[in-house]
Amino acid sequence: MIVLTLAMLRARWRPAVALFLLAALASAGVALAPVYLARAEESIVADEVAAARPDERGMLVSATVEPNGAGTMDDRFERGGARLLDAPGFTRVFSASFVAQPADEPAVFLDGTRQVTFRDDLCGHVSVHEGRCLMGQGDAVLSEETAHRFGVRLGDPLVLRSSSYNSTTSQFVADGAPGYLTVVGIVRPIAGPYWGRGRTDAAVYVDRRTFGGFARTSELQTFDAFPQPGAIRVATLPRLRAWLSRADAGGGAGQASIGLGALLDRIDAARAAAREPVPFAAVPVALLGGAVLLFAIATGARASRFEHGIVALRGARRPGRWWLAIAEPVVPVLVGGLTGSLVAGAGVPVALRYGAALSAAVVLAGAVVAVRAISAPLSDLLRRVDRRGARWRSATFDTLVVLLAVVAVVHFHTSGDSVYGVAPLAPALLMLAVALLAARAMPLVATRAAAAALHRGRPVAALAALRLARQPSGRRLLTVLVVAVALLGFAATGVAVAAATQSTRAAIAVGADRALTLGPVTRQRLLTATRAADPSGRFAMAVVPLQGLLAVDATRLSPAGFARALHPFPATAPVAVHGGTVAFDITAARLDDLTPDLTAHLAPLDGSPGFETRLGRLRPGRHVYSQPAACTAGCRLADLDVELPDTAGPTVVLTLHAPPTRDWRTPPDGSVTAAPDGVTFTLQAGARPDAGLLRPAGVPDSIPVIATAPLDGPLTVFDRTPVPITVAATARTLPRLGAHGTLIDLEYADRLAGDSGVTDNAEVWLAAGAAQSIVDALTAAGLTVTGERTTAGERALLGRAGGALGMRYSLLAGVAAVTLAAAGLVVTTLGASRADLVALRRQGVPARVTRRVEPATLAALVFCALVIGAAAAAAAWFAIGRYLPAVAPV
């Protein structure tokens, strides 16, 4: 039998080669999913590790160590602490330090202290700027920043003593014998994970012998651990998770700081997002590959029916006939499937298993198809007649597919389970349902088209339509082509929509074409510098992001409607005080036995940080309350704060004589009235934190905001003071905030704040086309640019995110599906019977007509597949695709 099988394969080598290539292509398409995911997940892990904060990549454990009974430092932590950070693939660095001060100063504040530090392998992680690195006892090296800070130069002696903190005086005092050092090098730390969180600006680095020679009451010992290249990869994640679980359960001595768990959680979330869209494309490709292979096997089996009939006529037994029918298609399918799996899935064991599983499934199903094809009556085999199938079985299958498609779509929308169950099959089932309905309608449509073509005198079109109407293989081939085209259309739509979604999300996340992050700066200086750098107001806008809130210079906001809504009129000129003393002439007509403190909040007009001046306690009668204040260049009076108790009842009545302005704002429970030589305030004590707050007017009583949802009550913006608001407009999304947040005018909010005005998270947003001169002007005005985000960069990051990578696989799967369908089309065409065309030729039909029938049939089939496939893709997209996470609306 083996010799006979090989002879059959040799005799019909073209169909065998075609099956081999189809099987290799199908198994490679199935192996594509795990291979792609493996590469994508490695990329995700690398990106997440690169973007992680130092405290997430590295680990630290520390302990304060004191001398033991023998007078030396207890070494138990140094001996056992390393075991606390023995994560696989991580390198540990030991360091020890203590606080010291110049020996000639008995007491210093914190900024006068030094950190005498020993750190393992220090010289291997610094570059020497001047002098040399540590070599002997008494040597010390400092970083350039530390040397500049303390005015130390190469060769200078350092005499330091350990010190301890005196909580009574808030100073550090000497408590040890002096140690003598010589600065032998000024060094520059080489950037890298070695430093972890072990660097300090006041560090004086020494070797171990020198460090041990100092007399000290305690020292801080630490172990830093950082990952070696490749320590955090997909393959190492399970080991790191297991180690982290043991570390969390084990505890141990010292204070440990391990942020690895947050990084691993983000990696797991990104990997899950990458895997989520893959089943929607991988499952249909696997089913389509199997269907194409079975279709090709069935085509070959039908072509060899006459030979099997001759074999049966000569008395061959049924098992032998079955073996011959099965072996001819199974051998090339099995060899081709294993070859495709090995080539496509090299290095990914899961991919090999997937390809082998598809090959095994096709071999079993192909055996059934082949045996069924030769099990027809002998007369049918010799006459090359297809075995009749019951129509009710075909209709039942089509109905079952339609019902399954409906169930899968409903399950997708109701269960929230988009990866498991029948949800991954929902798009494919919906496309298959459309394809089956189209294939069932094709004979009717083709028959009418044939009649119309004959009536118009177009014999080629008529014969092509009749071929489509009468051949079952044409309907099956149309189903395969429609599904393949629909898969590609579905994937292309998903990738295009995902790209648009990423662009929208990037624009919202950044807020502008470029966003410059700044160092600490006052809000007033931020506004002044930004407006001066871009007088036109077209390219630069000052922004202060807060939690769920964005304060912007609304005068530069686009669209103009938002600008008018947030900033309906310019803020009035600030109420300013000048001189070295701030004084207020006040009559306290009623205090109700209270002695409240009076505080003035002032903001220098030059943009320096604001400050508060305590003017003293209010006393009955008329008094002048004054205090020195650095307002020579002028200060804006932010407010006067009368410190009232948080219990209801007491009332305070004050008259401010010769006020800097007569236009004031009081809390809702208070009032302001005009007096002959000033203004009179009536304040009610209560639970509101701003019950005693008096603000000069200059902004609206209730400032407008733009919100994505209704707001109740005032907002707390820059300080504890509630800001009364009015919702001027609503928006579906807001820059930086997305679908949840509030937009407020920065100038109005700053006027209503009584804090120092310093913000640590200020930004300047730049529109597209902003010149570099604007950035230079911002820097020249004293703003420090610490970072930059761009829409293009954010879009690139989103493009490498898990969901985007998963959607990109669907496009590869769609291409693989179309390739499989095209290969199936070619194989079917090569193996198709042309007996009907030969008979027509013998009956006198011109050769120019019969030669064109087959190409016309294929062209019509492909055209119908393209049109119906596009419709099936649209149906699947609107039913399921637009709800996938990677393409969900912002």
Side-chain angles (χ1 to χ4, degrees):
M1 282 295 182
I2 296 177
V3 175
L4 184 58
T5 301
L6 294 177
M8 292 173 60
L9 292 174
R10 189 182 309 111
R12 282 195 291 267
W13 63 271
R14 288 186 179 86
V17 170
L19 278 176
F20 171 83
L21 295 177
L22 272 180
L25 187 61
S27 60
V30 171
L32 181 65
V35 170
Y36 180 89
L37 272 180
R39 305 292 184 266
E41 290 185 10
E42 289 290 357
S43 174
I44 287 171
V45 173
D47 287 343
E48 290 290 347
V49 171
R53 300 191 308 270
D55 63 302
E56 293 176 328
R57 290 194 299 264
M59 312 175 195
L60 181 144
V61 62
S62 62
T64 300
V65 179
E66 297 179 349
N68 54 26
T72 60
M73 284 293 168
D74 193 337
D75 62 351
R76 285 178 297 177
F77 176 78
E78 184 177 354
R79 287 186 287 106
R83 291 195 296 271
L84 301 176
L85 302 181
D86 59 351
F90 278 66
T91 298
R92 296 177 297 277
V93 178
F94 174 76
S95 65
S97 63
F98 63 89
V99 181
Q101 64 188 69
D104 57 351
E105 297 184 23
V108 296
F109 289 99
L110 179 62
D111 58 358
T113 61
R114 317 286 194 267
Q115 289 283 338
V116 178
T117 303
F118 160 75
R119 193 167 180 84
D120 279 337
D121 195 24
L122 173 80
C123 291
H125 295 85
V126 297
S127 62
V128 178
H129 177 58
E130 294 182 64
R132 59 176 173 81
C133 199
L134 301 173
M135 293 181 62
Q137 191 167 0
D139 290 353
V141 297
L142 289 75
S143 68
E144 288 182 287
E145 294 83 358
T146 303
H148 177 74
R149 174 181 172 183
F150 294 116
V152 177
R153 293 181 296 179
L154 184 66
D156 284 355
L158 289 178
V159 184
L160 302 176
R161 292 194 295 177
S162 66
S163 59
S164 59
Y165 182 68
N166 186 334
S167 59
T168 304
T169 62
S170 300
Q171 289 181 301
F172 288 84
V173 296
D175 66 353
Y180 299 89
L181 304 173
T182 301
V183 178
V184 299
I186 306 297
V187 299
R188 294 171 179 168
I190 299 174
Y194 163 85
W195 294 99
R197 284 163 279 178
R199 285 183 57 191
T200 61
D201 291 336
V204 177
Y205 294 104
V206 298
D207 64 9
R208 190 60 184 266
R209 289 184 301 165
T210 305
F211 185 86
F214 277 89
R216 57 204 184 279
T217 57
S218 65
E219 65 183 47
L220 178 66
Q221 295 183 356
T222 64
F223 279 96
D224 287 287
F226 60 90
Q228 292 290 345
I232 305 178
R233 295 180 294 110
V234 173
T236 64
L237 292 179
R239 294 200 300 272
L240 291 174
R241 278 289 188 191
W243 176 87
L244 193 61
S245 298
R246 291 195 302 271
D248 291 341
Q255 297 180 352
S257 175
I258 302 175
L260 183 63
L263 174 59
L264 297 184
D265 289 342
R266 284 205 309 275
I267 289 174
D268 289 345
R271 292 174 65 197
R275 289 192 297 266
E276 190 166 8
V278 170
F280 290 92
V283 173
V285 170
L287 296 178
L288 185 65
V292 169
L293 278 172
L294 291 178
F295 192 33
I297 292 173
T299 301
R302 284 197 304 273
S304 60
R305 283 170 298 177
F306 181 79
E307 296 178 4
H308 286 286
I310 295 298
V311 172
L313 185 63
R314 292 181 177 179
R317 296 183 178 181
R318 184 169 295 178
R321 291 165 50 202
W322 285 359
W323 168 262
L324 292 177
I326 292 172
E328 185 176 1
V330 161
V331 170
V333 167
L334 189 59
V335 175
L338 295 178
T339 302
S341 300
L342 289 171
V343 173
V348 182
V350 176
L352 299 178
R353 291 198 295 269
Y354 279 27
L358 176 67
S359 300
V362 172
V363 164
L364 294 176
V368 174
V369 169
V371 169
R372 186 174 181 275
I374 67 165
S375 298
L378 180 60
S379 58
D380 289 347
L381 292 177
L382 294 176
R383 291 187 298 124
R384 298 184 176 93
V385 176
D386 280 330
R387 184 174 181 176
R388 296 181 180 179
R391 293 185 177 179
W392 67 269
R393 279 186 287 186
S394 176
T396 301
F397 176 78
D398 295 353
T399 304
L400 182 61
V401 170
V402 173
L403 291 177
L404 282 176
V406 173
V407 170
V409 172
V410 172
H411 172 75
F412 177 87
H413 288 285
T414 57
S415 70
D417 179 7
S418 59
V419 178
Y420 304 103
V422 298
L425 292 173
L429 286 172
L430 196 54
M431 298 173 198
L432 180 59
V434 174
L436 290 174
L437 293 176
R440 185 164 287 278
M442 187 181 72
L444 300 177
V445 176
T447 301
R448 294 188 178 183
L454 283 175
H455 181 71
R456 295 177 182 177
R458 298 177 179 177
V460 175
L463 290 174
L466 287 174
R467 265 198 142 201
L468 290 175
R470 295 181 178 180
Q471 292 186 358
S473 61
R475 295 194 293 272
R476 289 192 286 267
L477 191 56
L478 178 66
T479 302
V480 170
L481 292 175
V482 167
V483 172
V485 171
L487 286 174
L488 182 59
F490 183 86
T493 304
V495 171
V497 174
T501 302
Q502 290 162 18
S503 297
T504 303
R505 289 176 176 172
I508 291 176
V510 179
D513 185 67
R514 297 164 60 193
L516 305 179
T517 57
L518 307 177
V521 64
T522 62
R523 298 184 292 269
Q524 183 58 46
R525 178 167 292 173
L526 173 67
L527 283 167
T528 303
T530 306
R531 290 173 177 175
D534 177 30
S536 67
R538 296 172 51 197
F539 297 103
M541 179 174 68
V543 177
V544 178
L546 301 171
Q547 183 67 34
L549 188 145
L550 198 68
V552 301
D553 186 0
T555 59
R556 295 159 176 250
L557 192 64
S558 179
F562 277 13
R564 289 190 297 270
L566 288 180
H567 198 93
F569 58 83
T572 61
V575 175
V577 295
H578 297 81
T581 301
V582 176
F584 295 94
D585 186 2
I586 298 176
T587 296
R590 178 180 176 181
L591 292 177
D592 284 358
D593 297 327
L594 300 177
T595 56
D597 285 333
L598 179 65
T599 303
H601 291 102
L602 304 170
L605 297 178
D606 62 1
S608 300
F611 57 92
E612 66 176 28
T613 301
R614 292 190 172 274
L615 301 170
R617 293 187 174 182
L618 291 174
R619 305 185 301 277
R622 183 170 181 172
H623 303 276
V624 175
Y625 300 87
S626 65
Q627 284 292 334
C631 290
T632 305
C635 293
R636 176 176 65 86
L637 177 61
D639 59 59
L640 287 173
D641 189 5
V642 179
E643 188 176 343
L644 298 178
D646 57 2
T647 56
T651 301
V652 172
V653 178
L654 307 174
T655 298
L656 177 59
H657 305 281
T661 178
R662 289 180 174 271
D663 193 2
W664 291 79
R665 300 287 183 266
T666 61
D669 294 336
S671 63
V672 56
T673 57
D677 61 341
V679 289
T680 298
F681 304 102
T682 301
L683 303 174
Q684 300 286 339
R688 289 178 59 94
D690 61 339
L693 201 61
L694 307 174
R695 292 194 184 101
V699 295
D701 291 338
S702 179
I703 63 175
V705 300
I706 297 175
T708 57
L711 297 176
D712 297 327
L715 289 178
T716 299
V717 185
F718 293 125
D719 58 5
R720 63 182 180 85
T721 306
V723 176
I725 61 168
T726 300
V727 178
T730 58
R732 190 176 69 87
T733 59
L734 293 173
R736 186 65 63 83
L737 303 173
H740 305 282
T742 305
L743 209 60
I744 194 170
D745 180 65
L746 176 58
E747 186 175 25
Y748 285 178
D750 182 59
R751 286 288 187 92
L752 294 175
D755 61 350
S756 67
V758 176
T759 178
D760 294 329
N761 54 349
E763 297 181 2
V764 173
W765 288 4
L766 301 177
Q772 180 61 32
S773 59
I774 295 178
V775 181
D776 296 339
L778 293 172
T779 304
L783 274 60
T784 303
V785 178
T786 60
E788 178 179 349
R789 294 177 67 188
T790 64
T791 302
E794 191 72 19
R795 190 184 305 118
L797 288 175
L798 291 174
R800 295 196 300 270
L805 292 174
M807 284 302 300
R808 212 165 293 149
Y809 165 78
S810 64
L811 188 59
L812 295 177
V815 173
V818 171
T819 305
L820 280 168
L825 179 63
V826 172
V827 171
T828 304
T829 303
L830 293 177
S833 173
R834 297 172 178 80
D836 54 345
L837 297 178
V838 173
L840 289 174
R841 181 74 182 90
R842 290 173 179 172
Q843 294 173 12
V845 178
R848 58 183 176 81
V849 173
T850 57
R851 282 197 303 266
R852 295 163 54 195
V853 170
E854 195 164 13
T857 304
L858 293 178
L861 195 63
V862 171
F863 176 76
C864 292
L866 290 175
V867 175
I868 300 170
W877 177 258
F878 284 102
I880 294 167
R882 57 180 175 161
Y883 301 102
L884 295 177
V887 300
V890 180

